[in-house]
Amino acid sequence: MYDLTSSQLAALWEGHMRTGDWEAAWRVSDRLSLRRRHERLGHPLPRHLQSVWNGESLAGKRVLVRCYHGLGDTIQFIRFIAPLRRRADNVILCAQPQLLPLLDTVPGIDTLLPLHDGVPAAEYDVDIEIMELAYALRITLETLPAVVPYVGRSTTAAPREADSRPHVGLVWQSGTWDPRRSVPLELIQQLTDIKEIRWKVLQRGPALAAWPAHSAELPAITTLMEEAAQLRALDLLISVDTFSAHLAGALGVRTWTLLPAAADWRWMDDREDTPWYPTMRLFRQPEPGDWKSVILRLRKELELLYPPCATRRRVSQELAQTPDIER
């Protein structure tokens, strides 16, 4: 292990995280952190790849937490603020401005500031990036905080129309930086012919323009608080690995998350559940690029969850087998 390169150590760390041996992963993190402190980089890394924490103790300190990763990462890792606050004397959080209303009621935050490229308007002793908190606190699967909801507790659910059908939301496209996470529009649309479900499209961004308005409802969503309200009104969210899945999981909404065959380390390996979100199920591609199998499985699982869907399919099959003269 002492002769491993930084890339080899990173791969070893990921392997431990995927199998749930997080204690071993943190020991690898110790070596990586020590190496980073002794190396001088010839060029700056992108902000979300920068290591901020220098290994200093957090106990009794004024700790500045920066949210340099994506919105979903902040939602997922904000759970560690409360255990951090039990150790630190004061916690200042610099988060993405659009998240501030959702994070305003998260316990453990003494000062909440908008993240920007300048100097934070706060005095602090220790600096750390939010995704370094699990390492700094030496979190294990047994100590992972997973009580939901832990964000948006003051958010009320959006009004629901008088309809006995289950309300199911759809999000099919993730960020363009990783197209493997997104499901082709024509495949996800196949689900909406199940008329026993009231479909709601919660997709945001340019991908929404391609959705035919007549096949599902498109609630107006302009802020993340509005998205939280729409999520809380759902019976189920079906989403790819993106912000909406993390927010739904943090709100305690039943969520089915669709994953590519080579999913991110945080979803671990060979699991249909996740220790991060107790109300979430994982649906993985059996082979790289095979979303068709995932959609077929979703249809079967929807029939199990909502039996009227199965009844309709059975009746349709019986009608198809009946001679025209008897119809």
Side-chain angles (χ1 to χ4, degrees):
M1 184 170 177
Y2 291 98
D3 297 326
L4 296 180
T5 66
S6 294
S7 296
Q8 290 171 326
L9 285 172
L12 184 62
W13 176 90
E14 180 170 330
H16 289 317
M17 293 299 288
R18 286 182 175 278
T19 58
D21 191 356
W22 292 3
E23 290 178 286
W26 305 143
R27 291 194 292 270
V28 176
S29 294
D30 291 337
R31 292 192 54 79
L32 284 166
S33 297
L34 182 63
R35 181 170 295 184
R36 278 194 295 264
R37 289 197 292 270
H38 287 84
E39 290 178 349
R40 290 184 177 272
L41 295 174
H43 58 278
L45 291 170
R47 188 167 71 172
H48 72 282
L49 296 178
Q50 294 175 12
S51 177
V52 174
W53 185 48
N54 62 8
E56 185 178 354
S57 172
L58 307 176
K61 301 292 181 63
R62 295 171 299 178
V63 181
L64 173 68
V65 181
R66 304 175 190 252
C67 301
Y68 279 168
H69 285 69
L71 299 177
D73 300 314
T74 297
I75 291 296
Q76 183 174 20
F77 281 77
I78 201 69
R79 71 185 69 215
F80 298 121
I81 292 295
L84 168 65
R85 185 61 180 82
R86 291 194 289 269
R87 184 177 302 188
D89 181 64
N90 190 274
V91 172
I92 307 109
L93 181 75
C94 287
Q96 298 91 334
Q98 58 268 52
L99 282 179
L100 297 187
L102 275 171
L103 303 180
D104 190 46
T105 59
V106 172
I109 302 174
D110 295 291
T111 305
L112 183 60
L113 300 173
L115 180 70
H116 54 76
D117 292 330
V119 178
E123 296 183 357
Y124 58 93
D125 305 310
V126 183
D127 202 359
I128 192 168
E129 207 280 324
I130 193 166
M131 290 189 70
E132 295 177 309
L133 284 177
Y135 165 42
L137 299 171
R138 314 297 281 212
I139 297 296
T140 65
L141 286 180
E142 292 72 31
T143 61
L144 177 67
V147 176
V148 293
Y150 61 83
V151 298
R153 294 177 179 175
S154 60
T155 305
T156 57
R160 280 179 59 141
E161 302 80 357
D163 192 332
S164 60
R165 294 177 297 173
H167 289 50
V168 179
L170 290 175
V171 177
W172 67 91
Q173 187 173 98
S174 184
T176 56
W177 64 275
D178 188 1
R180 297 175 308 122
R181 296 187 183 186
S182 298
V183 178
L185 177 61
E186 61 272 16
L187 284 179
I188 204 73
Q189 277 185 294
Q190 292 177 12
L191 295 175
T192 61
D193 66 2
I194 304 176
K195 304 306 180 185
E196 287 73 23
I197 289 176
R198 187 160 188 154
W199 296 99
K200 297 201 171 187
V201 173
L202 270 66
Q203 178 71 49
R204 300 168 71 242
L208 183 58
W211 186 274
H214 66 275
S215 61
E217 295 179 44
L218 281 70
I221 297 175
T222 58
T223 69
L224 299 186
M225 289 295 285
E226 290 174 349
E227 181 170 353
Q230 291 293 338
L231 287 170
R232 292 197 64 180
L234 295 177
D235 296 294
L236 169 68
L237 174 71
I238 297 175
S239 173
V240 295
D241 181 7
T242 193
F243 169 78
S244 297
H246 287 286
L247 180 56
L251 289 167
V253 175
R254 183 197 294 267
T255 306
W256 291 357
T257 301
L258 317 182
L259 300 176
D264 190 81
W265 61 264
R266 73 193 71 198
W267 305 120
M268 306 177 68
D269 289 335
D270 304 320
R271 292 185 66 144
E272 293 189 359
D273 66 334
T274 169
W276 295 93
Y277 302 114
T279 61
M280 183 178 288
R281 286 184 63 188
L282 308 178
F283 291 75
R284 302 174 186 266
Q285 287 180 342
E287 300 290 340
D290 183 8
W291 286 119
K292 290 183 180 180
S293 297
V294 176
I295 297 300
L296 287 173
R297 185 180 170 209
L298 283 176
R299 295 185 71 96
K300 293 178 181 178
E301 293 293 334
L302 286 169
E303 291 176 359
L304 291 174
L305 184 61
Y306 304 120
C309 300
T311 301
R312 173 180 176 269
R313 187 175 74 158
R314 186 174 63 253
V315 170
S316 298
Q317 290 172 341
E318 291 172 352
L319 287 173
Q321 296 169 0
T322 302
D324 291 342
I325 194 171
E326 296 181 10
R327 293 183 185 176

